[in-house]
Structure formats: structure tokens, C-alpha cells
Amino acid sequence: MIPIAKPYLTEDEAMAAHDAVLSGWVTQGPRVKEFEERFAARVDAPHAVAVSSCTTALHLALLVCGVKPGDEIICPSMSYVATSNSILYCGARPVFAEVEPQTYNIDIEHVRSLTNERTKAILIVHQMGMPADIDAFAALCRDRDIALVEDAACATGSRYNGHPIGSHTDLACFSFHPRKVITTGDGGMITTTRPEYEEKLRLLRQHGMSVSDRVRHEATKLIFEDHVEIGYNYRMTDIQAAVGIRQLEKLDWIVDRRRKIAAYYNDAFRDIECLRVPEEPRGRLSNYQSYSLYLRQSAPLTRNELMARLLTKGITTRRGIMTSHRETAYRQLFGHISLPVSEDLSDRSILLPLYPGLTDEEVACVTAAVRDEVAS
Ligand SMILES: *Cc1c(COP(=O)(O)O)cnc(C)c1O
């Protein structure tokens, strides 16, 4: 069986977790600080704040840019549901924009048409690791005086105009879930260019407490903390950070291997008329967190039939990226919403196995199996 994904974890990470446990410091402490510093350096960000997941990262990012009940936040529906859930946590309303068929990223013209005086922020997603057009969205946000937040859950190691994701805007949120490019079990990171955001994020992730555990621990005189705001417990543990530090060292290699596999898939499928392969617009470099293949109407079988046939050959696949607006919880909240482009992309695309441990033979096996089914 070839799985859809597999985290790249070795003895390095196991030993790092072992050492963290035996150090006696297991929650947010010195290793979290080190992971933040290394992550910030790696993505060219002035500041990085570690949290428990990308979902909690998004929640805090929206809070620090001032999102309040009644505000509207524009985001894609075609994304993991956490994207729009984070907006609802703030009491704000997600307004769903369409995505572009080529990149699966949010469509700026549709976004433009959805902005109004209630629009507080635009939440762009670098879907499956493919960078969205950050400069175009930054210009639109400047123009309308609204905030820009990046859901970079899938985009650790991706680049836009020569620079890493995390270096471009005020707020970018990353995920270290095992399905993402590097993992800490669960975990997240927020990068920011603004020191006042950094300070507020650190406060909110730890109960609104004025002094961190680390500072209190290292203090040589008495310090009493105050809780200056209603915060959250969104901490990352030192065990997770220890694993993250080791994973970060492998990031370049992991992205390189993922890109090689994606290039192999592209070469194998590009000439098949009923398929559409992902395409990197100029200036954008994807880490290929996922590889999505789109089946046109002319395909000899449906997407679900293709998934079932591949499974009988031992190849695991997944449906294309979900749409939030068709999930039960969202239909109950907002009723029927129609987003034909997103729905079509979600329903006609298939994710193929892609992970650094996938061998060349396995890649060849997947491409041959797909070609057999669709090109016959
Ligand atoms: C995975 C994912 C999230 C959620 O990340 P967690 O770390 O699991 O909370 C959010 N947005 C997108 C686009 C994702 O793919």
C-alpha cells in the first residue's frame, strides 16, 4: 500500500523529544524560544511566535489585527475548515470568495467585488503550498485600509518573488500538523513584522499573563504576574519545539524532494488531455504540500471511480480540497451559498501520494496506474 502522506521523522526527532522530557522542562520554555528564533531566521521574518496549532495561530492573528463581532473577513471556502472557523471564533463573519482554477488560490477580482465598509480583513490561503499573489492582495488591502492575514498552514518553505513565505506581510500563520511539510505532532507559528503584534500575541497565547513562565523561572528577585487581558492557553510545549528544531534542519531537503516528485508527476500527466496539472505562476515556488490533479469533463471515468480503481492497486488518494460552505455546520449558519468554481475544483480533483520517503519506483507506479486509467 502507498499512503497519501507520511511525515519524515527519524531518530533525530525521537532523541530531541527524549532530551526535552528528561530536561524537566516540558511546556513552553527554552526550546520553544529557540524554535521561534530559528524559524524566524529561516523564513526571513523579524518575529515568530509559536502556538499550539495553525488554527489557534489564525484565531490570534485575527484578534491582533482588531477583528471584532460584526466584522466581515473575506476568505476562500475551498480550504480546510479551520480557515473560516478561526473567523467565527472572533464572532466575525466569513465571506467566501472563489478561487482560481490554475492555482486553487483565492480570486482577487471576486475578493474586490466582495469588499465593503464592514470588511475588516482578507485571509488568503497558500493552498497546498502554492503561494497566493501576496503583492496584489497587499495592494488591495492598503488601498481599502483593511488587514491582510496569510493562512500559510501548508506553505512552510514555499517562496514568493524570491523570498520565503513568512517574510512578506504583517501576519502569516503556519501549521506543523503531520499532514504538513514539517511537523511537531501538532503545532503552529505566527510570523510578524510588527513588534506590537509580537507582544500582543505572546500575551494572548498564555492567558493574558504579563510575565512568561520562562522569565519568572529565571528571575533572581520576586516577580508577581498580572493577567492584563482575557487570553487563551495556546502554548506549544518544549517537547514539540524540540522536534520542530530538528525538522526545520531538514526543511530544504524535504521541499527539494517534494518538488522533484511533483515535477515527475507533471511530466507524466501534462500531455494527457483530460487532466490538468498544477502550475506555478511566475515568481512563485510551491513546496507541494499536496499534489492535486484535476479531471476534466472529457475524462473516461469520474474522480471517485479513479480513486476506487487506484485503491485496488494499493494506491491511497484523497478527494480535492474541501469547501466549507457545503459542510453541515456552515449550511446551518448561512444557508445555501453557490460557489461554482470552488465546487467544481473540489469535486473533480484528486490528491496523489506525495511525501519525501516516496521512492522513485513508487512514483513510477502511481503515474503508470493513473495513466492506465485515464489515457485508455
Ligand atoms: C491544516 C490547515 C489548517 C489547520 O492547521 P492545524 O495546525 O491543524 O490547526 C488551516 N488552514 C489550512 C489551509 C490548512 O491546510
Side-chain angles (χ1 to χ4, degrees), residues 53-55 58 79-80 82-83 125 151 153-154 175 177 180 186-187:
S53 69
C54 184
T55 306
L58 289 166
S79 182
Y80 186 58
T83 304
V125 180
D151 179 341
C154 303
S175 173
H177 180 273
K180 309 301 157 84
D186 257 310

Side-chain angles (χ1 to χ4, degrees), residues 31-224:
R31 287 176 177 81
V32 166
K33 184 165 184 283
E34 183 185 344
F35 185 37
E36 289 173 339
E37 287 166 1
R38 290 187 187 220
F39 192 87
R42 176 58 182 74
V43 306
D44 289 347
H47 313 283
V49 178
V51 288
S52 53
S53 69
C54 184
T55 306
T56 57
L58 289 166
H59 182 196
L60 295 190
L62 293 172
L63 289 177
V64 298
C65 62
V67 173
K68 290 190 180 55
D71 290 338
E72 290 185 1
I73 315 299
I74 302 171
C75 71
S77 169
M78 203 195 84
S79 182
Y80 186 58
V81 72
T83 304
S84 47
N85 282 353
S86 69
I87 296 167
L88 291 166
Y89 299 159
C90 300
R93 182 187 178 94
V95 175
F96 292 129
E98 284 282 24
V99 290
E100 313 163 331
Q102 286 300 332
T103 62
Y104 300 82
N105 279 328
I106 186 166
D107 178 335
I108 194 158
E109 291 317 317
H110 193 212
V111 170
R112 210 186 295 280
S113 74
L114 294 171
T115 56
N116 62 40
E117 67 285 350
R118 289 180 301 278
T119 309
K120 181 75 187 181
I122 299 174
L123 177 51
I124 59 173
V125 180
H126 305 304
Q127 197 51 262
M128 297 178 274
M130 183 72 77
D133 192 356
I134 298 172
D135 285 352
F137 283 97
L140 174 63
C141 288
R142 254 193 318 275
D143 210 42
R144 309 276 161 103
D145 194 24
I146 52 188
L148 178 61
V149 177
E150 294 173 68
D151 179 341
C154 303
T156 307
S158 296
R159 300 174 84 85
Y160 176 81
N161 285 346
H163 298 283
I165 297 299
S167 63
H168 300 277
T169 70
D170 285 349
L171 290 159
C173 302
F174 297 85
S175 173
F176 308 125
H177 180 273
R179 265 293 265 135
K180 309 301 157 84
V181 170
I182 58 171
T183 185
T184 59
D186 257 310
M189 190 75 80
I190 310 161
T191 56
T192 179
T193 46
R194 295 169 67 154
E196 72 276 20
Y197 281 180
E198 184 208 2
E199 196 181 333
K200 186 83 186 271
L201 291 166
R202 292 190 187 287
L203 201 69
L204 288 176
R205 76 169 169 185
Q206 194 179 18
H207 307 291
M209 198 160 97
S210 60
V211 200
S212 76
D213 289 341
R214 193 173 49 80
V215 169
R216 206 168 37 172
H217 180 75
E218 287 166 0
T220 49
K221 53 185 194 327
L222 274 178
I223 311 183
F224 295 110

Side-chain angles (χ1 to χ4, degrees), residues 287-332:
N287 62 10
Y288 285 100
Q289 179 269 337
S290 287
Y291 185 92
S292 177
L293 200 55
Y294 176 84
L295 268 75
R296 296 182 202 274
Q297 296 282 355
S298 58
L301 75 182
T302 67
R303 191 270 313 268
N304 292 357
E305 284 164 359
L306 177 59
M307 290 179 74
R309 301 264 189 92
L310 292 174
L311 194 58
T312 64
K313 295 180 176 176
I315 299 165
T316 313
T317 60
R318 289 284 181 274
R319 295 184 295 174
I321 304 296
M322 64 175 290
T323 57
S324 292
H325 72 284
R326 291 187 293 180
E327 295 299 301
T328 302
Y330 279 79
R331 279 191 282 109
Q332 281 169 352

Side-chain angles (χ1 to χ4, degrees), residues 220-239:
T220 49
K221 53 185 194 327
L222 274 178
I223 311 183
F224 295 110
E225 71 282 8
D226 180 21
H227 295 89
V228 296
E229 271 191 67
I230 305 300
Y232 303 87
N233 177 357
Y234 285 171
R235 284 182 300 238
M236 175 181 276
T237 70
D238 255 30
I239 307 171

